[in-house]
Amino acid sequence: MNGPPHTAPNGGGHRLAPTALYGPDLDGDAMPALYERLRRAHGPVAPVTIAPGVGAWLVIGHRELLRLTRDEQDFSHDPRRWSLLREGRVPPDSPIMPIIGWRPALLFADGQQHRRMRTAVSEALDEINGHQLRRTVRAAAEELIASFADRREADLVPEYARKLPVRVIIGLLGLDEPTGQLLAQAITGMVVANADSVNASRRMNAILQTLIQHKRQRPGDDVTSALLRHPAALTDEEVLHNLVVMFVAGQQTTVNWISTTLRILLCDPAFRSSLTVGHLSVDDALDLVLWRHPPTQNFPARYATRDLDFGGQRVHTGDMLLLGLAGANQDPAVLPEDGTPVIGNRSHLAFGAGPHACPAQDPARLITRTAVDTIRHRLPDLELAVPESELSWVKSPWSKGLAALPVRFTRPQLPPPARPDLLVSGEPLTAAKCPAGAVSRHDSPPGEPS
């Protein structure tokens, strides 16, 4: 097996085989129990495989994960340090390469280079007008609700949670909606790692390169323009790949956060009642989701810069370590005796920690809170259309999201129709300005395999 082969012995002195974190039988509902089995068998750092023959360490101890995210001397973000990759033991077409392959973006950089790009990204996000963003999200949410209101039923994952963030994010980047949907389709096709991934990557690059050229000539009040004019002087290539990171991370995380929060409100009568009378807030529900069902379960990756003992394991130079965000949130060392997170406690690790913690937490929370608030007020008698036991999670080792959330309602309270303001000032990039190669009839809807 491709490393790390160094597994912890069980009580009898026998070596325990790594646990597979991939495959069609991966059960999202069973993941919390899996993390606890790994903790009992291996401690806070457990051996896993993320593809056939590709080993890594999964860090599920809260204290260990804090060290992993804060210690840049022993743990690098740069996948070019990964020993299996350097030794040619990871096939170029491996399904994990689209998410871990090196790009000139803040997610794959260390030290000064990371700080330079993160400063530009953080300050570009800080320029977002929160009041306008809230209005934009509310208008887009109301338009989506109106699209299914007459049916008195909907599946809130594909019809609401999946559509809303992409509408908002493409506006933040400075795209009109048709072009933004093309970008979303191309990025989805690239990440799913199938036969069309290379073509999808080319389409993505073509759209973003055209966007960057357009914004250099006609800047606006959008994130792309803010990155281009930042004193850090990011290259066009750096801007492109940081936009990809922002889109991928922001889109799926927000989809999961919205849908899982709605599940809690629909399935927990006591919580819903406390919310209605004002004892709890929507933010309390958002935090509960981040503790129990973080939108990202596990996140790649760090790479050991030297041999060291870590979490009871012997980690070797170049070993990959995964951030076990969901597992670390379940660590008994940081939870009360009954294992229930305390309302208002935000010491969870859903957004990571240290210098690489997610820089978009505030806009993501604003988008999610507004999405949940809007549907609560527009569909006040919203209820599940199936028994809670029939709800299931998407089968993924990385993402924690609902596969579907079917609901019904009888009394929609809709405002007058309004078009969402997508936060674009000046002239947005439109599909007509994109290269012909950026448009494909075979692109699939955002969030679906290409």
Side-chain angles (χ1 to χ4, degrees):
M1 184 198 77
N2 290 343
H6 340 288
T7 60
N10 63 15
H14 300 292
R15 296 281 170 178
L16 298 173
T19 298
L21 283 186
Y22 65 92
D25 297 326
L26 195 68
D27 185 351
D29 289 306
M31 293 300 280
L34 172 62
Y35 299 138
E36 293 314 301
R37 289 198 301 272
L38 290 173
R39 199 186 316 276
R40 289 193 300 270
H42 303 284
V45 179
V48 296
T49 54
I50 57 174
V54 180
W57 299 107
L58 181 65
V59 181
I60 54 176
H62 193 277
R63 181 180 63 181
E64 288 73 18
L65 190 54
L66 284 176
R67 180 185 169 191
L68 182 70
T69 55
R70 292 171 175 172
D71 185 349
E72 290 186 290
Q73 182 174 348
D74 287 341
F75 304 106
S76 169
H77 240 82
D78 191 336
R80 292 171 297 186
R81 290 177 175 267
W82 188 20
S83 57
L84 297 186
L85 194 62
R86 292 200 316 268
E87 296 163 8
R89 293 195 280 163
V90 182
D93 59 351
S94 172
I96 63 171
M97 288 308 296
I99 61 173
I100 65 167
W102 181 85
R103 298 182 182 89
L106 77 169
L107 191 60
F108 306 98
D110 298 315
Q112 182 58 38
Q113 186 70 344
H114 168 258
R115 287 188 287 275
R116 171 177 159 269
M117 286 190 281
R118 184 185 175 91
T119 298
V121 169
S122 296
E123 293 182 2
L125 293 171
D126 287 344
E127 291 188 21
I128 296 173
N129 183 310
H131 296 293
Q132 189 171 356
L133 177 59
R134 187 178 296 107
R135 290 193 296 269
T136 298
V137 177
R138 184 181 299 116
E142 289 175 343
E143 187 178 84
L144 289 172
I145 293 168
S147 71
F148 54 72
D150 290 344
R151 303 201 322 260
R152 303 300 194 264
E153 64 179 11
D155 184 340
L156 294 184
V157 173
E159 295 185 78
Y160 189 70
R162 191 176 293 157
K163 288 183 176 180
L164 181 55
V166 72
R167 286 193 176 195
V168 176
I169 293 172
I170 63 181
L172 291 172
L173 298 188
L175 293 160
D176 73 340
E177 185 163 341
T179 313
Q181 293 295 339
L182 291 175
L183 176 63
Q185 293 158 10
I187 290 178
T188 299
M190 179 189 71
V191 172
V192 296
N194 60 19
D196 190 52
S197 292
V198 173
N199 290 329
S201 179
R202 289 174 181 153
R203 295 194 295 272
M204 176 198 75
N205 286 337
I207 293 171
L208 289 176
Q209 286 167 358
T210 304
L211 171 65
I212 290 168
Q213 293 168 5
H214 177 71
K215 290 300 177 180
R216 283 206 181 277
Q217 297 170 359
R218 299 191 179 190
D221 291 334
D222 51 69
V223 172
T224 305
S225 299
L227 285 176
L228 290 169
R229 64 173 172 260
H230 193 274
L234 270 60
T235 67
D236 286 3
E237 186 182 23
E238 289 172 336
V239 171
L240 186 154
H241 287 287
N242 279 292
L243 290 176
V244 173
V245 168
M246 293 164 66
F247 192 104
V248 173
Q251 162 69 2
Q252 193 57 52
T253 297
T254 311
V255 170
N256 295 345
W257 202 3
I258 292 171
S259 58
T260 309
T261 303
L262 290 173
R263 173 179 176 160
I264 285 182
L265 297 183
L266 290 169
C267 298
D268 190 330
F271 198 104
R272 186 170 184 169
S273 175
S274 295
L275 189 66
T276 301
V277 300
H279 293 159
L280 294 175
S281 68
V282 170
D283 272 312
D284 293 325
L286 300 184
D287 289 330
L288 194 61
V289 169
L290 295 179
W291 271 108
R292 290 181 177 175
H293 310 291
T296 301
Q297 291 195 79
N298 304 303
F299 194 78
R302 302 294 194 274
Y303 307 90
T305 61
R306 65 181 180 90
D307 293 354
L308 74 160
D309 294 317
F310 180 55
Q313 306 285 9
R314 185 61 178 170
V315 175
H316 288 240
T317 304
D319 280 358
M320 174 191 284
L321 300 102
L322 306 176
L323 282 66
L325 305 175
N329 278 355
Q330 295 176 207
D331 190 340
V334 296
L335 293 177
E337 290 185 5
D338 64 0
T340 303
V342 177
I343 296 295
N345 182 348
R346 293 187 179 176
S347 61
H348 57 75
L349 296 172
F351 292 109
H356 283 267
C358 175
Q361 297 179 43
D362 290 343
R365 179 177 286 269
L366 191 154
I367 293 169
T368 305
R369 183 199 304 122
T370 306
V372 172
D373 258 337
T374 302
I375 202 167
R376 284 180 59 239
H377 288 102
R378 296 305 178 193
L379 305 176
D381 62 346
L382 191 68
E383 63 179 17
L384 276 180
V386 298
E388 181 183 356
S389 60
E390 293 185 14
L391 298 178
S392 61
W393 302 100
V394 173
K395 294 184 177 182
S396 168
W398 311 109
S399 183
K400 182 73 170 181
L402 286 171
L405 187 62
V407 296
R408 57 178 172 244
F409 48 90
T410 61
R411 296 181 292 107
Q413 299 179 4
L414 301 180
R419 290 179 60 84
D421 173 7
L422 289 178
L423 292 180
V424 180
S425 73
E427 183 185 356
L429 176 69
T430 64
K433 299 186 180 74
C434 286
V439 181
S440 171
R441 293 179 302 156
H442 304 292
D443 279 327
S444 55
E448 300 295 337
S450 174

